[in-house]
Amino acid sequence: MDYKRILLKLSGEALMGEQQYGIDPVRLKEYAQEIKQITDKGVQVAIVIGGGNIFRGLAGASSGMDRVQGDHMGMLATVINGLALQSALENEDIPTRLQSAININEVAEPFIRRKAIRHLEKGRVVIFGGGTGNPYFTTDSAAVLRAIEIQADVILKGTRVDGIYTSDPEKDKLAEKFEFISFEDVLQKGLKVMDTTAFTLSQENELPIIVFDMNTKGNLLKVVSGESIGTKVNL
């Protein structure tokens, strides 16, 4: 395996599958099986999931809701998704721990960096819920922050698109895919990989990002094995 410890970033929308909202149990099972393939190889896996399939703070704010309240609702949505993924992983006999940046002791451990690293060293998958615990920060920012804290080798951003393109490939048939691209080029070209705060934090800490299609079976194992899947963002 090319990477010993990874942080996998999944969007909340990814869990919807073919549904309009909520959590698709079929998609959840597929993701758990993909993750099992790499944990069986000894890869240490941490995960951050968004909450957009349940609630998005920005959407609430645009409807007149207080932004801070909306963001807290979004953070709780990520904990719900974390619980669902934890259950799916444990159904595949993968030991899993859910840590939350918001104290919800009945359902999740509080986030403690040393404890998270110890779980990873013991072969447990660690899911980080609750974002950063602060409003105005996205789960992209939470993913980069946690990846740096646990000293992950790479951030794997699982999406429904197989990499980074010159434009939206779902709208532009002439869009060209990058296999490798630098942080500077992403910023200069105005490409949307992560929000600016998260992306800059990753750049400053020299943490590579790989964007790939999580919905194609076997892709996660291929990425971790070093195959040229998706797009790698590096210095």
Side-chain angles (χ1 to χ4, degrees):
M1 299 292 104
D2 267 30
Y3 303 105
K4 182 181 178 183
R5 180 179 295 167
I6 67 159
L7 188 135
L8 177 63
K9 169 63 170 67
L10 299 172
S11 68
E13 287 90 340
L15 299 186
M16 293 191 300
E18 301 301 320
Q19 302 176 167
Q20 297 299 311
Y21 61 89
I23 300 169
D24 178 5
V26 175
R27 177 58 53 81
L28 208 58
K29 183 178 177 65
E30 289 172 353
Y31 282 177
Q33 290 171 341
E34 291 292 302
I35 293 164
K36 182 174 174 59
Q37 287 184 353
I38 63 172
T39 57
D40 285 349
K41 298 286 186 182
V43 178
Q44 297 176 11
V45 181
I47 304 172
V48 170
I49 314 180
N53 57 320
I54 298 172
F55 190 84
R56 189 177 289 279
L58 271 174
S62 67
S63 304
M65 180 179 290
D66 178 76
R67 172 67 190 273
V68 175
Q69 294 286 80
D71 280 356
H72 279 118
M73 292 172 70
M75 290 178 216
L76 293 172
T78 69
V79 176
I80 293 171
N81 284 339
L83 285 166
L85 183 58
Q86 181 181 34
S87 178
L89 289 168
E90 289 178 343
N91 284 340
E92 300 295 327
D93 297 320
I94 305 169
T96 309
R97 296 292 183 272
L98 173 62
Q99 292 196 343
S100 172
I102 301 172
N103 285 337
I104 319 177
N105 295 332
E106 287 76 12
V107 296
E109 297 178 1
F111 169 68
I112 300 171
R113 174 181 172 271
R114 289 178 181 272
K115 201 168 184 180
I117 291 172
R118 188 69 181 131
H119 286 321
L120 292 168
E121 289 172 345
K122 288 186 174 180
R124 299 166 184 152
V125 170
V126 180
I127 302 169
F128 297 117
T132 65
N134 302 289
Y136 297 99
F137 288 91
T138 66
T139 48
D140 278 348
S141 292
V144 176
L145 180 61
R146 295 293 180 247
I148 294 165
E149 288 179 306
I150 65 170
Q151 300 175 320
D153 300 321
V154 66
I155 293 179
L156 304 182
K157 184 166 183 179
T159 67
R160 64 183 183 185
V161 182
D162 64 339
I164 301 170
Y165 285 76
T166 50
S167 58
D168 188 345
E170 294 181 346
K171 298 176 181 177
D172 182 3
K173 293 182 179 179
L174 299 177
E176 295 181 5
K177 179 185 167 186
F178 298 99
E179 284 193 27
F180 299 94
I181 190 168
S182 69
F183 282 99
E184 284 188 9
D185 283 347
V186 169
L187 294 171
Q188 286 176 1
K189 295 176 188 295
L191 302 174
K192 190 66 177 172
V193 178
M194 289 181 166
D195 70 81
T196 308
T197 303
F199 193 75
T200 304
L201 186 61
S202 188
Q203 181 183 19
E204 287 176 349
N205 288 273
E206 301 182 6
L207 182 65
I209 303 167
I210 298 177
V211 179
F212 73 105
D213 180 5
M214 182 68 183
N215 296 336
T216 299
K217 288 187 177 181
N219 262 4
L220 181 59
L221 179 60
K222 289 177 182 177
V223 170
V224 176
S225 301
E227 291 189 36
S228 183
I229 301 290
T231 302
K232 185 172 184 178
V233 185
N234 215 334
L235 293 176

